[in-house]
């Protein structure tokens, strides 16, 4: 099986070109500090109802090292996690949080260098009451994520590679990057202009 860490060298722009809009999270899921390193890892999925963060706090003790914890929440009133939760996750080998919600203690998280991709920050934490199963399918940033899907995130955004397509997508991405590396800007400009001019001519544009 393809090692998810092999995707760390693949830009999200390349993956987005290959996978299309459905696998790219919406623009609200952004790195909360910059410059952020590109991260890649298998998804460990968590569902938290609005106002509650119990299952994310449970997940940091259960996710395997190398995992990206992906949280479905949509809550914009309460924080899912703070500095200590992020620090423990980081210490246990979790690669990053990708959360459809908010965190707090951003200064601590930034100082520790733990990547968090989320909707923002708020200083008040949620409750810890709602028990839900872990590693069930979730929706995060509009994308359906299953446990084991490869999550790749960088300053451009967050892309999910379905687990069943890991090897295929990795091979296609490497081929695409190699072709781009072999092409000079002059080559690209020539081909680009011919393509654009062709589309304009088909549309009746004169000028």
């Amino acid at each position: 099986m393809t090692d998810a860490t092999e995707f760390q060298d693949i830009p999200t722009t390349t993956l987005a070109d290959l996978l299309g809009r459905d696998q790219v999270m919406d623009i609200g899921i952004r790195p909360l500090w910059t410059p952020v390193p590109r991260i890649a890892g298998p998804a460990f999925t968590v569902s938290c109802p609005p106002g509650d963060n119990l299952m994310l706090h449970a997940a940091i003790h259960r996710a395997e090292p190398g995992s990206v914890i992906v949280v479905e929440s949509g809550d914009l009133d309460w924080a899912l996690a703070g500095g200590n939760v992020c620090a423990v996750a980081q210490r246990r080998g979790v690669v990053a949080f990708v959360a459809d919600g908010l965190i707090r203690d951003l200064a601590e998280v930034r100082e520790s260098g733990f990547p968090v991709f989320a909707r923002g920050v708020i200083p008040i934490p949620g409750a810890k009451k709602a028990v839900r199963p872990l590693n069930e399918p979730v929706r995060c940033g509009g994308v359906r994520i299953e446990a084991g899907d490869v999550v790749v995130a960088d300053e451009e955004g967050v892309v999910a590679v379905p687990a069943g397509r890991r090897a295929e997508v990795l091979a296609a991405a490497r081929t695409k990057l190699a072709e781009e590396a072999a092409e000079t800007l002059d080559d690209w400009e020539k081909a680009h202009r011919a393509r654009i001019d062709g589309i304009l001519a088909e549309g009746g544009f004169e000028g």
Side-chain angles (χ1 to χ4, degrees):
M1 179 181 284
T2 303
D3 184 347
T5 60
E6 293 184 274
F7 282 87
Q8 192 142 3
D9 294 329
I10 310 296
T12 55
T13 48
T14 301
L15 294 172
D17 288 346
L18 295 170
L19 290 166
R21 182 67 187 86
D22 287 348
Q23 296 305 119
V24 180
M25 293 188 189
D26 72 55
I27 63 168
I29 312 295
R30 305 299 299 169
L32 295 189
W33 53 266
T34 57
V36 70
R38 182 177 302 120
I39 62 94
F44 186 98
T45 58
V46 179
S47 176
C48 293
D52 197 285
N53 59 31
L54 175 65
M55 296 318 298
L56 173 55
H57 288 237
I60 65 169
H61 303 291
R62 290 163 175 79
E64 292 292 326
S67 299
V68 175
I69 293 182
V70 178
V71 189
E72 175 179 327
S73 171
D75 186 4
L76 298 180
D77 291 310
W78 310 88
L80 288 163
N84 285 343
V85 169
C86 292
V88 170
Q90 184 178 37
R91 186 163 66 179
R92 297 198 70 256
V94 172
V95 170
F97 286 169
V98 175
D100 200 329
L102 312 172
I103 70 158
R104 68 179 195 164
D105 303 327
L106 179 58
E108 293 177 30
V109 176
R110 180 173 55 234
E111 185 175 345
S112 71
F114 182 66
V116 177
F117 298 78
R119 293 201 182 273
V121 295
I122 198 167
I124 186 166
K128 295 170 181 60
K129 297 178 181 178
V131 176
R132 290 184 170 182
L134 293 168
N135 276 328
E136 295 290 311
V138 298
R139 289 195 75 81
C140 184
V143 178
R144 186 177 190 274
I145 310 287
E146 296 188 16
D149 288 352
V150 179
V151 177
V152 184
D154 57 23
E155 63 185 3
E156 301 281 349
V158 187
V159 181
V161 181
R165 299 184 61 190
R166 284 163 68 156
E168 165 213 337
V169 172
L170 181 63
R174 286 178 169 165
T175 297
K176 189 174 190 301
L177 289 170
E179 290 172 351
E180 290 171 354
E183 183 180 51
T184 67
L185 181 58
D186 288 343
D187 292 337
W188 185 91
E189 181 182 9
K190 182 179 179 181
H192 177 261
R193 179 158 189 174
R195 176 171 169 259
I196 297 302
D197 286 351
I199 295 170
L200 290 172
E202 287 177 9
F205 178 82
E206 296 180 6

